Amino acid sequence: MVSIEGVIFYLVLLDSLFANIATYCCAKWYKKNFKGLSKWFPMVKGWSLLYLVLVLWVGYGLYRLGLL
């Protein structure tokens, strides 16, 4: 049985994985097609990697609590 915390974690994990893929593979495409948005929300490799590490850390905590 998967708890609501598990579902939320897996959705956030999926988001962080897509953010990292987009940052490392499609940053030029993002800047070209979303000029206004890219000024306010730039794709920066450091922040997306930190986001992934923090999500994995929360997942580790949830796993140790037995919620995953």
Side-chain angles (χ1 to χ4, degrees), residues 17-45:
L17 289 173
F18 280 129
N20 274 287
I21 290 169
T23 301
Y24 284 96
C25 298
C26 309
K28 290 181 183 178
W29 176 85
Y30 175 73
K31 284 182 183 179
K32 179 182 171 187
N33 293 322
F34 297 100
K35 292 177 183 170
L37 191 64
S38 68
K39 290 179 184 178
W40 291 98
F41 298 107
M43 286 197 174
V44 181
K45 292 178 182 178

Side-chain angles (χ1 to χ4, degrees), residues 3-13:
S3 64
I4 188 71
E5 292 89 358
V7 172
I8 292 171
F9 166 72
Y10 288 123
L11 289 174
V12 173
L13 178 64

